[in-house]
Amino acid sequence: MKPSNLPQDPMIRQLVQSARASQLTRRGLLAGAGAGATALALAACSTGGANSKPTAAKDESASDKSLTWANWQAYLDQDDAGKYPTLEAFEKQSGLTVKYDVAVDDNNTYYAKVKDQLALGKDIGADTVCLTDWMIARWIRLGYVQSFDESAIPNKKNLVANLQDVDFDPGRKKSLPWQSGFAGICWNKEKLPAGLKSIDDLWKPELKGKVGVLSEMRDTMGLILMQQGVDISKDFSDAEFEKGIDTITKQVSNGQIRNIKGNSYLNDLKSGDTLAAICWSGDITQLNAEAGDNWQFAIPEAGGTLWSDNFVIPIGSSQKANAEKLIDYYYEPEVAAEVAAWVNYITPVEGAKEAATKIDPELADNQLIFPDEETLSKVKIFRSLTPAEEQKYQAAFQKVILGA
């Protein structure tokens, strides 16, 4: 059924066509980066062998009433005591015990930790994990995830129509969206009362040594390229990408950029080590809730990026049925609304907007949760990369990270 209350803009439809990660080769990396950058890129971005796919673990959910969920920081509703209300409700309802593991700081670094176990079909210490489209595409392609039992996730019917069929997982047989969101800029309102409007504002002299950017290449480079007039959703050139790399390299080498991090960039904002950053939308709402209303998020004048993270069940998980119960629970509109009200990311669940209105009528107007066409017109999806582009671009960006 076509959803009537969530955005129907073509931008959301484009969301389901996010970039597929392409296999990196040692030869390609050596050609594009120094030895140090090569070592890091190989560890973080290698996609493993393609000759054989691992076999799924035996499901022991009937005898083991537990599971582990690996996710990103500030990505689930949390109370003042540090507990997760919706997750506690699920445990009481299901009789399962859930370990919520804030283990993902960056797609590549998480993959680097678990890729060897995945290739062998071994347990990675998580029974479900939420990663970004392009990384999920890699896991599915390599056979690193298990297919869902459709009957075990009846609430899948609540998935908004525009996300039901994606190129990397037709029919959503192996993945389901958790949240979607924007990458943009943020700043400390007390220290920078005039605010920021563009990526170029991050390079102002008064911010030297106080700027952070994301280690997610598609977000950081996407915003820099858009500032330079590039449409990242279309076929930009190597030369255009290299111009963006030159910009970030300059800002790292001259000390303007203090660090390049994954989700841990929030700690630097909180401590004051950075006053401005390229950031993810919902994170700033959570930072304000935790540490005072000191930060502001905005989509830059030249545009922001749009992405989606997805549930999958790793090939080595022996608690598949338990994980499916968890995923199904979070596709109940009332539960999705409760999560959205806290994390402030775009929910993929139809009916969540109405449920959110009952929690707080103002939520329905929150552009970070239910963006309208005007907001969506300001963001782009980083286009799919060819294998050669993936090799060159990721290696070049890894080299910048090493220099930060």
Side-chain angles (χ1 to χ4, degrees):
M1 179 173 63
K2 184 175 181 180
S4 61
N5 52 23
L6 287 176
Q8 298 299 312
D9 187 271
M11 190 65 64
I12 282 291
R13 288 192 286 275
Q14 186 187 4
L15 177 61
V16 302
Q17 299 173 338
S18 299
R20 292 187 179 188
S22 304
Q23 183 173 349
L24 295 181
T25 65
R26 183 175 178 83
R27 179 179 178 184
L29 286 166
L30 287 171
T38 299
L40 177 59
L42 281 169
C45 306
S46 172
T47 58
N51 294 328
S52 63
K53 296 182 178 180
T55 301
K58 179 181 178 181
D59 190 7
E60 299 178 355
S61 297
S63 59
D64 187 345
K65 300 300 182 180
S66 68
L67 73 147
T68 298
W69 176 10
N71 209 349
W72 304 70
Q73 182 180 351
Y75 220 18
L76 183 63
D77 55 300
Q78 193 171 7
D79 61 22
D80 293 339
K83 297 181 179 181
Y84 305 101
T86 59
L87 193 56
E88 287 190 326
F90 169 74
E91 289 180 310
K92 292 178 181 178
Q93 172 185 307
S94 66
L96 299 176
T97 299
V98 183
K99 176 184 178 183
Y100 186 71
D101 188 10
V102 183
V104 184
D105 183 64
D106 171 272
N107 283 289
N108 277 320
T109 57
Y110 184 78
Y111 179 65
K113 296 176 185 177
V114 302
K115 64 185 181 66
D116 292 338
Q117 296 99 308
L118 287 169
L120 295 172
K122 302 297 184 181
D123 179 20
I124 65 169
D127 300 297
T128 187
V129 60
C130 297
L131 298 172
T132 309
D133 283 337
W134 62 269
M135 180 59 74
I136 292 301
R138 178 186 297 177
W139 285 37
I140 290 175
R141 186 175 65 250
L142 295 174
Y144 290 170
V145 303
Q146 302 187 45
S147 296
F148 295 139
D149 175 355
E150 297 284 322
S151 66
I153 312 178
N155 283 327
K156 178 183 175 183
K157 69 181 185 295
N158 295 328
L159 175 61
V160 295
N162 293 328
L163 296 178
Q164 288 177 5
D165 192 44
V166 293
D167 58 358
F168 59 84
D169 185 19
R172 288 291 186 180
K173 304 295 184 181
K174 300 179 180 181
S175 68
L176 279 171
W178 165 238
Q179 305 288 317
S180 303
F182 306 123
I185 53 177
C186 62
W187 61 91
N188 185 307
K189 294 186 293 185
E190 180 183 353
K191 302 295 184 180
L192 302 170
L196 305 177
K197 294 182 178 180
S198 70
I199 292 300
D200 282 348
D201 285 343
L202 295 175
W203 318 143
K204 291 181 177 179
E206 58 266 32
L207 285 176
K208 185 170 184 178
K210 293 293 184 178
V211 174
V213 300
L214 295 169
S215 58
E216 192 71 32
M217 183 267 286
R218 287 163 177 79
D219 289 329
T220 291
M221 292 306 302
L223 267 61
I224 290 174
L225 290 176
M226 282 189 281
Q227 178 63 46
Q228 296 176 347
V230 177
D231 185 344
I232 62 170
S233 67
K234 296 181 180 179
D235 289 331
F236 56 82
S237 66
D238 285 354
E240 288 173 317
F241 186 84
E242 289 165 5
K243 181 180 178 182
I245 286 291
D246 288 344
T247 295
I248 191 172
T249 299
K250 174 184 177 182
Q251 301 304 331
V252 167
S253 62
N254 69 14
Q256 187 75 18
I257 293 175
R258 182 184 182 92
N259 52 52
I260 304 176
K261 292 185 177 181
N263 235 158
S264 59
Y265 78 92
L266 291 170
N267 298 328
D268 296 313
L269 287 171
K270 190 182 301 185
S271 68
D273 285 345
T274 56
L275 299 180
I278 290 177
C279 62
W280 290 308
S281 53
D283 284 351
I284 305 309
T285 299
Q286 298 316 311
L287 185 61
N288 281 329
E290 295 171 7
D293 187 21
N294 295 324
W295 295 272
Q296 180 68 46
F297 170 84
I299 296 173
E301 289 179 334
T305 61
L306 182 63
W307 45 264
S308 184
D309 290 330
N310 307 267
F311 279 114
V312 290
I313 300 175
I315 194 69
S317 167
S318 59
Q319 271 73 49
K320 177 175 179 287
N322 292 344
E324 289 168 336
K325 288 181 181 178
L326 176 81
I327 296 169
D328 185 65
Y329 169 77
Y330 278 99
Y331 265 74
E332 295 178 9
E334 294 75 16
V335 176
E338 199 171 336
V339 172
W342 198 90
V343 302
N344 279 254
Y345 283 108
I346 304 169
T347 176
V349 179
E350 183 177 358
K353 184 173 183 178
E354 290 82 359
T357 302
K358 295 177 182 178
I359 297 173
D360 181 355
E362 291 185 4
L363 286 175
D365 297 322
N366 188 326
Q367 292 301 300
L368 300 182
I369 305 175
F370 303 107
D372 58 24
E373 292 189 5
E374 180 181 357
T375 297
L376 291 171
S377 69
K378 301 175 182 178
V379 296
K380 299 282 187 180
I381 303 298
F382 199 105
R383 70 167 173 83
S384 298
L385 299 177
T386 67
E389 288 172 332
E390 180 73 26
Q391 291 171 4
K392 287 184 290 187
Y393 297 172
Q394 190 64 52
F397 190 64
Q398 292 291 345
K399 188 175 182 180
V400 174
I401 290 177
L402 286 180

